[in-house]
Amino acid sequence: PDRHGQTVAVGMALGLRLQGSNSRVINFLSDGELDEGSTWEAAMGAFHHQLGNLTAMVDVNALQADGPTVGVLRTEPVADKWAACGWHTQRVDGNDVDALLTAFDNIHTAPVGAPSVILCDTRVGRGVPLLENREKAHFMRIDADEWQICRDQLTAGHEGVLA
């Protein structure tokens, strides 16, 4: 992943504001990117510049390429860290579409000028037990013979919904 995405997003949000635009910037990042100092420098800069037009969505799946996040570099209490940087912070089940929509609806409740972050607790491979239970889930490969198993598991109980 691009480890400087948050820095780029801050620059875009600041540039849009300086142009008088009402557009918003949404940056998607992983919990692994929270290991980077530049991510937190950008977070502090966004608050300093009152970039209320910026939202970060963090996929908190507790996995990185090098292993479980807790073993690489602990990020918890992640919500407290974003709040300490002045961000309007929400934490939701990232696999729950209704919870995500509600979080987006609640962005308008942020203090004026405060950037927003939505922390999305997710499970890699959610809905497909073959993938959910795989030990090495980050950057996982699905073998040719596994694709149909994945399709069957994903659609089980969802007939008519995922047709």
Side-chain angles (χ1 to χ4, degrees):
D2 180 356
R3 299 292 187 171
H4 302 290
Q6 189 66 13
T7 304
V8 171
V10 167
M12 291 172 67
L14 183 58
L16 286 167
R17 191 181 72 203
L18 292 173
Q19 292 175 353
S21 173
N22 290 326
S23 297
R24 299 190 57 80
V25 175
I26 300 174
N27 181 41
F28 295 90
L29 61 157
S30 70
D31 50 1
E33 289 173 80
L34 303 182
D35 292 356
E36 301 294 329
S38 62
T39 298
W40 295 107
E41 292 168 9
M44 290 184 291
F47 175 70
H48 174 79
H49 291 290
Q50 295 291 283
L51 298 179
N53 62 337
L54 175 60
T55 299
M57 290 192 64
V58 183
D59 178 16
V60 184
N61 63 21
L63 290 173
Q64 297 183 33
D66 295 328
T69 302
V70 70
V72 177
L73 186 63
R74 293 173 193 252
T75 55
E76 294 295 345
V78 69
D80 293 342
K81 291 174 182 176
W82 284 95
C85 288
W87 286 58
H88 176 250
T89 304
Q90 301 177 74
R91 191 164 196 165
V92 301
D93 176 348
N95 294 119
D96 180 339
V97 174
D98 289 332
L100 290 167
L101 293 172
T102 299
F104 272 105
D105 288 343
N106 289 335
I107 288 174
H108 79 278
T109 66
V112 174
S116 295
V117 62
I118 302 172
L119 302 168
C120 305
D121 292 308
T122 63
R123 179 164 177 119
V124 174
R126 175 74 164 80
V128 180
L130 174 73
L131 303 180
E132 284 186 37
N133 299 318
R134 189 163 281 181
E135 185 177 337
K136 271 294 240 190
H138 203 277
F139 297 122
M140 87 173 69
R141 295 190 192 283
I142 301 173
D143 294 332
D145 63 314
E146 295 176 322
W147 280 106
Q148 190 58 50
I149 295 168
C150 292
R151 285 185 198 99
D152 292 344
Q153 289 181 344
L154 185 61
T155 57
H158 298 286
E159 288 77 19
V161 176
L162 298 174

